[in-house]
Amino acid sequence: MSWILPEGASLGFEGLAAPLRIVRGLGGGTQGQVYEVDLEGERLALKWYLPACIARDGGLERRLIASIRATAPNEDFLWPIALLRASPASRPLIRIRDESFGYLMPLRPPAYVGACEHAAGRLAIGLRQVLRACFGLADAFHSLHLAGLCYKDVSLGNLFLEPDSGGILICDNDNVAVDGADHGAVLGTPGFMAPEVLLGQARPGADSDLFSLAVLLFRLLTRHDPLKGQMELAIRCLDEPARRRLCGEDPVFIFDPVDDRNRPDPIEHAAALITWPIYPRPLQALFEQTFCRGMKQPSRRALTGQWKQELARTLDRRAFCPACGQENFQASGGPALCWSCGAPLPEPTTLLLPHGSVVAAPDNELHAHHFDALAGEDLRRPLARVVAHPQDPRRLGLRNLSTVAWSAETPDGRVQAVQPGESCSLAALTRIQSPAGPIAVQRPTRPSPAA
Amino acid sequence: MPFPDVKLANRPLHFLYLCDCSGSMAASGKMQALNQAIRQSLPGMAAVARDNPEARVLVRAVRFADHAAWHIETPTPVDQLEWRDLQAGGITAMGEALKLVAAALQTPPMEVRALPPVLVLISDGQPTDDFAAGLEALLRVPWAQKAVRLAIALGHDADLEVLQRFIGTEPATAGRSPRRPLQASNATSLAQYIQWASTAVVGAASMPASRVSETPLEPAVGNIPLPDLPPTVLDPTDDVGPLVW
Ligand SMILES: Nc1ncnc2c1ncn2[C@@H]1O[C@H](COP(=O)(O)OP(=O)(O)O)[C@@H](O)[C@H]1O
Ligand SMILES: [Mg+2]
């Protein structure tokens, strides 16, 4: 890589009191190059644009200034902090002739890796973490859309994942604009673009973001593309005109309940066929809504709030197969079979809450939204977590993660305090009173075969 | 529990170098510069391949002098590629090289389904054999018609007209000048072009990059919109005076 900014040098920038040290180049893309920089001991990232990119996108500087003023919708965005132009003294150190600028943003911590690592199957990540990442993505776009903004260039390349937690970070926020207001230059990334944008019938905005968001969620959940089925196999050379047909002119969802022209191929598209049944019906229905009716009618696409709700509910249903140990997320009711080994899944112990219910399985969590109908789904601050007993993992407890004591009631009416940080055994309890609200323990009506 | 061990569907992306190894390449270190440029570009190419899981990037190379022959015959994944140095000596059998590539792009041996192949022709002189026949044979093959064809002219003696015929004449589209052979007049610019072809172009052919409104959504002739050429980065060593061919 030929770096435009000199690695190791300290450069002065207009409006920055202290010089920035260019620590090293991190990567380059179509728009510019990204560097790790040091500002008075703080590590940040600097994106420096190529003059061709600035020339092509007249609104770039204006959008960046507006974003910097507006601040990030939530902490999952690597949001622009300051717009930088080289000071006259540093100008000659920049190795391109044309005038250019860049912006500072937070540096991605090393634990976060590009989402394409997951797409490629090279990342050790759990189903729960993938679902949490999907929730984080829906939540980030929810905040962005509620702020009246749209992102425009959703793609795998702009998303980072932390495999241990399912945390996410979104980069490349320089196309963000007020929905419908600014005609920025970017249209999106083919494969993620809504058909109406790909065909040039609409400009990218919040509605096309909803399409791209659904594509990204689908790709994270299935490691497959929602439009690549038989119709993709019929294409010999997958070039631009072919992609335009597949994703714009005649797009068909591979799991469209009515139109079966584009079903996955059992060998070529095995990933989709294996992973799709993992997810509960209501979550699948949001994909159908977006990729069937919403394909041609942008206003019918699933909204960020719907994704948040269904993804949070899916996580609440997480249970382990007693036969193979795999995670399952099936909706309650009817007899369910493990997606992985086919064994019947026993009816689980469930925590009944004022707004929803959570299966008692290790690491499942209770949140404020389980108690308060007005609280939006938020997974950041759990109030309680299901834990396995250190000696006997089959004995489950509930740990108090809040700052206030609970009172736990046993079937014979005794009451016991559960201090913050302590866990109580679910087997011995019928009900817990927490300041957030009551937690009722519902045991299976018919005993599970394992018990 | 781990996410199910499922593999993303992918398609092969064949990348072929056609390298002029005629005697003139021995002059002024051009042959060494080309070997270096290709070798140096491999890590970046491997990184692009890693970032594009939908593509299986496979590299081959043809050398041509008195005759054309495979330098790397087996389509090789970039991360397994070892670049053996090309040696200069002989005349310029470019037409024969095109015929060799034409045969390789027939189905079979080509897969039924693939991404557009990328062909990079590098030359410093004039073909000494029947170039027109070679080009005609090549362009009869559907995969060659679909291929992204790039040409790099080394120094002032390269036959720009021939190279232009190889890449095809594309009418100027809105905001874009017609495509021309890339002219490398020194080792630095050669390395930049090789790097661009093996990273940015491979990226564009394997997974679409974000689009801006000026890039026509329906490309006129080329079936892959080519990324911007690298900016001319002022080389701090330029002051020393680069070797000009
Ligand atoms: N805030 C950041 N911290 C660390 N790395 C980053 C950051 N932003 C971008 N990168 C890396 O820099 C490279 C280029 O970034 P990107 O902005 O996507 O380029 P482009 O949009 O021009 O394609 C990518 O490898 C990306 O992972
Ligand atoms: Mg990017």
Side-chain angles (χ1 to χ4, degrees):
Chain A
M1 178 79 61
S2 319
W3 298 110
I4 299 172
L5 303 183
E7 289 178 294
S10 284
L11 300 184
F13 292 92
E14 282 167 13
L16 269 192
L20 262 192
R21 191 162 59 82
I22 310 300
V23 179
R24 61 193 178 104
L26 294 172
T30 48
Q31 299 177 303
Q33 299 182 342
V34 179
Y35 299 84
E36 178 176 344
V37 296
D38 182 300
L39 178 64
E40 296 182 297
E42 192 186 354
R43 289 295 162 106
L44 296 164
L46 169 63
K47 175 155 184 171
W48 199 258
Y49 289 106
L50 302 175
C53 167
I54 297 175
R56 214 187 284 128
D57 184 359
L60 178 58
E61 184 171 1
R62 198 158 25 90
R63 281 199 312 278
L64 278 171
I65 292 171
S67 292
I68 290 162
R69 199 174 299 139
T71 71
N74 78 12
E75 60 268 40
D76 291 342
F77 292 89
L78 294 168
W79 199 257
I81 299 169
L83 186 87
L84 297 186
R85 282 180 188 283
S87 66
S90 293
R91 187 68 198 81
L93 293 173
I94 294 179
R95 298 183 188 135
I96 31 176
R97 283 205 183 80
D98 299 298
E99 179 73 32
S100 184
F101 59 81
Y103 69 88
L104 274 180
M105 66 183 136
L107 183 67
R108 157 169 57 94
Y112 284 79
V113 298
C116 72
E117 289 296 307
H118 168 56
R122 288 189 297 255
L123 199 61
I125 190 167
L127 271 168
R128 172 174 186 260
Q129 284 71 17
V130 172
L131 279 159
R132 285 180 68 95
C134 287
F135 178 88
L137 195 61
D139 191 32
F141 276 85
H142 193 62
S143 306
L144 187 84
H145 284 178
L146 285 187
L149 302 173
C150 60
Y151 183 83
K152 297 186 184 176
D153 194 11
V154 182
S155 82
L156 269 180
N158 295 335
L159 177 69
F160 298 101
L161 305 175
E162 213 259 289
D164 289 341
S165 65
I168 61 151
L169 287 172
I170 297 169
C171 77
D172 248 355
N173 294 295
D174 46 7
N175 296 307
V176 170
V178 172
D179 183 31
D182 186 306
H183 280 187
V186 81
L187 294 174
T189 300
F192 292 89
M193 275 156 104
E196 71 275 12
V197 178
L198 185 63
L199 295 176
Q201 295 159 354
R203 306 290 300 191
D207 282 344
S208 62
D209 270 1
L210 291 176
F211 184 90
S212 309
L213 172 67
V215 175
L216 191 48
L217 293 173
F218 189 89
R219 297 195 52 160
L220 291 174
L221 292 173
T222 67
R223 279 199 190 137
H224 192 71
D225 191 297
L227 303 178
K228 283 192 184 162
Q230 298 294 343
M231 290 165 79
E232 185 247 355
L233 283 193
I235 297 168
R236 299 189 61 168
C237 182
L238 189 59
D239 56 6
E240 282 288 300
R243 284 185 206 272
R244 186 184 161 93
R245 258 179 284 125
L246 192 67
C247 306
E249 287 160 8
D250 189 16
V252 178
F253 181 37
I254 55 172
F255 293 116
D256 189 313
V258 183
D259 187 342
D260 64 1
R261 284 181 298 153
N262 200 19
R263 287 280 178 264
D265 177 84
I267 292 159
E268 292 287 327
H269 308 135
L273 291 167
I274 290 169
T275 51
W276 179 247
I278 297 173
Y279 305 105
R281 225 6 251 159
L283 189 58
Q284 294 179 342
L286 292 185
F287 285 112
E288 290 172 7
Q289 180 186 334
T290 305
F291 296 140
C292 300
R293 194 168 343 159
M295 191 74 86
K296 295 274 159 62
Q297 291 173 268
S299 63
R300 307 306 284 264
R301 294 169 184 158
L303 300 168
T304 48
Q306 293 176 279
W307 286 115
K308 281 183 65 179
Q309 187 174 58
E310 248 2 288
L311 287 160
R313 283 186 185 159
T314 302
L315 281 161
D316 289 346
R317 294 192 190 103
R318 176 173 160 276
F320 291 93
C321 169
C324 72
Q326 193 39 290
E327 287 166 290
N328 279 267
F329 302 89
Q330 288 312 320
S332 52
L337 301 178
C338 173
W339 65 265
S340 179
C341 71
L345 297 171
E347 201 183 319
T349 296
T350 305
L351 304 173
L352 301 180
L353 307 155
H355 293 281
S357 61
V358 174
V359 167
D363 292 330
N364 285 2
E365 292 173 338
L366 310 189
H367 297 276
H369 63 259
H370 289 122
F371 298 94
D372 178 357
L374 295 179
E377 294 82 6
D378 183 353
L379 306 184
R380 285 185 185 81
R381 286 166 290 275
L383 299 173
R385 178 179 302 131
V386 179
V387 291
H389 192 278
Q391 267 83 54
D392 179 4
R394 280 173 311 171
R395 276 174 59 200
L396 296 179
L398 192 66
R399 179 168 296 156
N400 182 353
L401 299 180
S402 75
T403 54
V404 204
W406 300 338
S407 53
E409 299 165 16
T410 56
D412 56 14
R414 279 184 304 135
V415 171
Q416 196 187 326
V418 184
Q419 297 300 331
E422 286 182 351
S423 305
C424 52
S425 169
L426 288 174
L429 299 175
T430 51
R431 203 177 156 81
I432 299 164
Q433 289 296 344
S434 83
I439 304 166
V441 183
Q442 180 186 269
R443 267 171 278 277
T445 44
R446 59 193 161 79
S448 71
Chain B
M1 286 300 286
F3 192 87
D5 182 21
V6 288
K7 224 172 64 122
L8 185 80
N10 62 26
R11 286 179 176 238
L13 189 160
H14 291 279
F15 186 99
L16 285 96
Y17 279 119
L18 291 83
C19 303
D20 187 340
C21 295
S22 58
S24 58
M25 287 290 290
S28 324
K30 277 181 281 190
M31 197 76 260
Q32 290 87 331
L34 178 59
N35 283 319
Q36 269 304 319
I38 293 180
R39 186 168 296 134
Q40 300 272 358
S41 72
L42 295 177
M45 192 180 192
V48 170
R50 252 199 321 278
D51 285 349
N52 292 280
E54 281 135 288
R56 206 161 65 240
V57 181
L58 299 167
V59 184
R60 270 177 283 182
V62 167
R63 65 186 136 77
F64 54 94
D66 287 342
H67 290 285
W70 286 105
H71 184 57
I72 300 171
E73 186 166 14
T74 315
T76 308
V78 221
D79 53 350
Q80 291 167 24
L81 192 72
E82 267 179 66
W83 186 258
R84 281 176 299 114
D85 277 351
L86 293 162
Q87 309 292 336
I91 51 172
T92 314
M94 195 187 285
E96 205 182 311
L98 299 185
K99 283 191 177 158
L100 206 56
V101 170
L105 292 181
Q106 303 274 7
T107 312
M110 268 296 282
E111 295 82 353
V112 176
R113 282 182 294 272
L115 290 159
V118 179
L119 310 182
V120 185
L121 173 60
I122 304 145
S123 172
D124 76 334
Q126 337 253 335
T128 49
D129 64 350
D130 193 347
F131 169 81
L135 186 65
E136 206 189 296
L138 181 70
L139 294 184
R140 264 200 304 269
V141 180
W143 278 117
Q145 294 162 11
K146 293 282 189 183
V148 180
R149 301 190 302 276
L150 307 173
I152 302 177
L154 292 189
H156 301 296
D157 295 332
D159 188 336
L160 291 177
E161 203 237 85
V162 151
L163 297 180
Q164 183 75 59
R165 278 163 66 195
F166 171 74
I167 65 178
T169 41
E170 185 182 319
T173 42
R176 281 192 171 244
S177 42
R179 285 180 50 214
R180 298 260 179 258
L182 304 166
Q183 296 189 53
S185 57
N186 58 42
T188 310
S189 56
L190 172 65
Q192 281 186 3
Y193 289 143
I194 293 279
Q195 190 193 320
W196 174 77
S198 62
T199 56
V201 176
V202 166
S206 54
M207 189 159 65
S210 48
R211 258 340 106 69
V212 292
S213 39
E214 272 82 304
T215 17
L217 279 169
E218 200 165 24
V221 174
N223 50 347
I224 289 295
L226 286 180
D228 287 341
L229 278 169
T232 323
V233 173
L234 307 176
D235 190 338
T237 60
D238 261 359
D239 308 337
V240 191
L243 184 64
V244 177
W245 297 321

PDB file of all heavy atoms in Angstrom, chain A residues 29-31 47 153 155 157-158 171-172, chain B residues 210, ligand 2:
ATOM      1  N   GLY A  29      -9.467   1.828   1.019  1.00  0.00           N
ATOM      2  CA  GLY A  29     -10.614   1.339   0.277  1.00  0.00           C
ATOM      3  C   GLY A  29     -10.808   2.177  -0.957  1.00  0.00           C
ATOM      4  O   GLY A  29      -9.869   2.788  -1.466  1.00  0.00           O
ATOM      5  N   THR A  30     -12.050   2.215  -1.410  1.00  0.00           N
ATOM      6  CA  THR A  30     -12.346   2.940  -2.627  1.00  0.00           C
ATOM      7  C   THR A  30     -12.359   4.440  -2.392  1.00  0.00           C
ATOM      8  O   THR A  30     -12.146   5.214  -3.310  1.00  0.00           O
ATOM      9  CB  THR A  30     -13.715   2.517  -3.156  1.00  0.00           C
ATOM     10  OG1 THR A  30     -14.635   2.568  -2.060  1.00  0.00           O
ATOM     11  CG2 THR A  30     -13.664   1.100  -3.686  1.00  0.00           C
ATOM     12  N   GLN A  31     -12.625   4.847  -1.134  1.00  0.00           N
ATOM     13  CA  GLN A  31     -12.781   6.276  -0.884  1.00  0.00           C
ATOM     14  C   GLN A  31     -11.545   6.935  -0.306  1.00  0.00           C
ATOM     15  O   GLN A  31     -11.341   8.125  -0.487  1.00  0.00           O
ATOM     16  CB  GLN A  31     -13.902   6.507   0.124  1.00  0.00           C
ATOM     17  CG  GLN A  31     -15.239   6.022  -0.332  1.00  0.00           C
ATOM     18  CD  GLN A  31     -16.244   6.233   0.776  1.00  0.00           C
ATOM     19  OE1 GLN A  31     -16.081   5.749   1.896  1.00  0.00           O
ATOM     20  NE2 GLN A  31     -17.275   6.991   0.470  1.00  0.00           N
ATOM     21  N   LYS A  47      -9.589   8.907   8.896  1.00  0.00           N
ATOM     22  CA  LYS A  47      -9.836   8.533   7.503  1.00  0.00           C
ATOM     23  C   LYS A  47      -9.441   9.704   6.630  1.00  0.00           C
ATOM     24  O   LYS A  47      -9.889  10.834   6.855  1.00  0.00           O
ATOM     25  CB  LYS A  47     -11.306   8.183   7.288  1.00  0.00           C
ATOM     26  CG  LYS A  47     -11.616   7.901   5.813  1.00  0.00           C
ATOM     27  CD  LYS A  47     -12.802   7.012   5.651  1.00  0.00           C
ATOM     28  CE  LYS A  47     -13.030   6.682   4.189  1.00  0.00           C
ATOM     29  NZ  LYS A  47     -14.046   5.657   4.027  1.00  0.00           N
ATOM     30  N   ASP A 153     -25.416   3.082   3.046  1.00  0.00           N
ATOM     31  CA  ASP A 153     -24.457   2.129   2.479  1.00  0.00           C
ATOM     32  C   ASP A 153     -24.231   0.943   3.400  1.00  0.00           C
ATOM     33  O   ASP A 153     -23.107   0.620   3.755  1.00  0.00           O
ATOM     34  CB  ASP A 153     -23.144   2.830   2.141  1.00  0.00           C
ATOM     35  CG  ASP A 153     -22.250   1.976   1.241  1.00  0.00           C
ATOM     36  OD1 ASP A 153     -22.734   0.952   0.727  1.00  0.00           O
ATOM     37  OD2 ASP A 153     -21.078   2.333   1.066  1.00  0.00           O
ATOM     38  N   SER A 155     -23.537  -2.610   4.444  1.00  0.00           N
ATOM     39  CA  SER A 155     -22.945  -3.798   3.828  1.00  0.00           C
ATOM     40  C   SER A 155     -22.104  -4.512   4.872  1.00  0.00           C
ATOM     41  O   SER A 155     -21.811  -3.964   5.929  1.00  0.00           O
ATOM     42  CB  SER A 155     -22.095  -3.438   2.623  1.00  0.00           C
ATOM     43  OG  SER A 155     -20.813  -3.021   3.041  1.00  0.00           O
ATOM     44  N   GLY A 157     -19.061  -5.045   4.743  1.00  0.00           N
ATOM     45  CA  GLY A 157     -17.762  -4.398   4.869  1.00  0.00           C
ATOM     46  C   GLY A 157     -17.736  -3.285   5.899  1.00  0.00           C
ATOM     47  O   GLY A 157     -16.666  -2.868   6.324  1.00  0.00           O
ATOM     48  N   ASN A 158     -18.897  -2.803   6.280  1.00  0.00           N
ATOM     49  CA  ASN A 158     -18.922  -1.675   7.203  1.00  0.00           C
ATOM     50  C   ASN A 158     -19.321  -2.075   8.618  1.00  0.00           C
ATOM     51  O   ASN A 158     -19.665  -1.245   9.442  1.00  0.00           O
ATOM     52  CB  ASN A 158     -19.874  -0.591   6.684  1.00  0.00           C
ATOM     53  CG  ASN A 158     -19.366   0.007   5.384  1.00  0.00           C
ATOM     54  OD1 ASN A 158     -18.169  -0.017   5.121  1.00  0.00           O
ATOM     55  ND2 ASN A 158     -20.266   0.524   4.571  1.00  0.00           N
ATOM     56  N   CYS A 171     -18.823   1.209  10.887  1.00  0.00           N
ATOM     57  CA  CYS A 171     -17.898   2.249  10.425  1.00  0.00           C
ATOM     58  C   CYS A 171     -18.422   2.873   9.140  1.00  0.00           C
ATOM     59  O   CYS A 171     -19.536   2.593   8.718  1.00  0.00           O
ATOM     60  CB  CYS A 171     -16.490   1.685  10.245  1.00  0.00           C
ATOM     61  SG  CYS A 171     -16.261   0.721   8.755  1.00  0.00           S
ATOM     62  N   ASP A 172     -17.601   3.708   8.525  1.00  0.00           N
ATOM     63  CA  ASP A 172     -17.976   4.346   7.260  1.00  0.00           C
ATOM     64  C   ASP A 172     -19.281   5.124   7.385  1.00  0.00           C
ATOM     65  O   ASP A 172     -20.222   4.937   6.605  1.00  0.00           O
ATOM     66  CB  ASP A 172     -18.147   3.262   6.183  1.00  0.00           C
ATOM     67  CG  ASP A 172     -17.060   3.385   5.128  1.00  0.00           C
ATOM     68  OD1 ASP A 172     -16.289   4.346   5.204  1.00  0.00           O
ATOM     69  OD2 ASP A 172     -17.008   2.539   4.236  1.00  0.00           O
TER      70      ASP A 172
ATOM     71  N   SER B 210     -19.199  -0.285  -3.018  1.00  0.00           N
ATOM     72  CA  SER B 210     -20.284   0.679  -2.971  1.00  0.00           C
ATOM     73  C   SER B 210     -20.263   1.574  -4.189  1.00  0.00           C
ATOM     74  O   SER B 210     -19.234   1.866  -4.758  1.00  0.00           O
ATOM     75  CB  SER B 210     -20.335   1.456  -1.694  1.00  0.00           C
ATOM     76  OG  SER B 210     -19.383   2.014  -1.145  1.00  0.00           O
TER      77      SER B 210
HETATM   78 MG    MG C   2     -15.941   1.081   3.227  1.00  0.00          MG
END
